[in-house]
Amino acid sequence: MTTDKPASDLELIPQCAPGTPMGNLLRRFWHPVALSAQIAPGKAKALRILGEDLTLYRGESGRPYLVAGRCAHRLTRLHTGWVQGEDVRCIYHGWLVGEDGAVRETPNERETGGRRGLCVRAPSVREAGGLIWLNLCGAKSEQAPFPDWPWLALPEEQVRKVYEERAPRYRATYSTWALATAMGALFGLPRLFPSSWTQPAALAQIALALLA
């Protein structure tokens, strides 16, 4: 395929950091980031996706949450701390971060009950089909609808087996689709979003046409 676009535009395609064309696009969609069985209640783990460091933890109620990877105080990795109720406490100075990202407690500070307006990033998170999903789009109005695939209603054990067997194929398909979408935006092809972003057949046809 030939194009008159400068090489600098082509170099934007694999870049997924915040503020990049591909990064902004991918942040609209739901990404499976962990198996449900990988994170027990009261435990936390570090994640890195689309160039962002995040903390995935499960509250004592069993509900999963996602907050920024580092504390707002001294940038200590939050997953090294401990979960208290539905919040996570930093291991360094004990700052308590809520499930919504708000700083609820600031020990050894004048305002020990937290600082009004101080918060860290807290992306949208859902659990379905034995998987934990996240959406990094800040504006919920711009988020893609959560997938309604039938297999999400299957028992967790069965979904886990299917996921482990088909994960490589899923990643390849998703990468092709994302590449086709970004190239469409860069090279002036008709926009498909947001009205048609749940039509895999249409996206597959565009991908094949672009990559032929």
Side-chain angles (χ1 to χ4, degrees), residues 103-121:
V103 177
R104 304 195 189 283
E105 294 182 8
T106 54
N108 300 322
E109 297 282 331
R110 290 183 178 179
E111 300 178 7
T112 58
R115 295 184 180 180
R116 181 175 299 179
L118 181 61
C119 61
V120 300
R121 185 155 162 69

Side-chain angles (χ1 to χ4, degrees), residues 5 9 21-22 25 178-193 210:
K5 289 285 184 179
D9 284 352
M22 179 63 88
L25 173 67
L179 174 63
T181 303
M183 293 178 74
L186 288 172
F187 301 128
L189 295 179
R191 294 181 60 86
L192 295 178
F193 305 100
L210 286 170

Side-chain angles (χ1 to χ4, degrees), residues 5 7-29 31 50 137 142 174 177-188 191 193 197:
K5 289 285 184 179
S8 58
D9 284 352
L10 295 176
E11 293 171 356
L12 293 175
I13 294 176
Q15 298 179 21
C16 61
T20 62
M22 179 63 88
N24 293 338
L25 173 67
L26 292 178
R27 278 165 174 75
R28 295 184 178 185
F29 299 92
H31 303 263
L50 299 180
C137 185
E142 297 181 2
Y174 188 88
W177 165 77
L179 174 63
T181 303
M183 293 178 74
L186 288 172
F187 301 128
R191 294 181 60 86
F193 305 100
W197 56 18

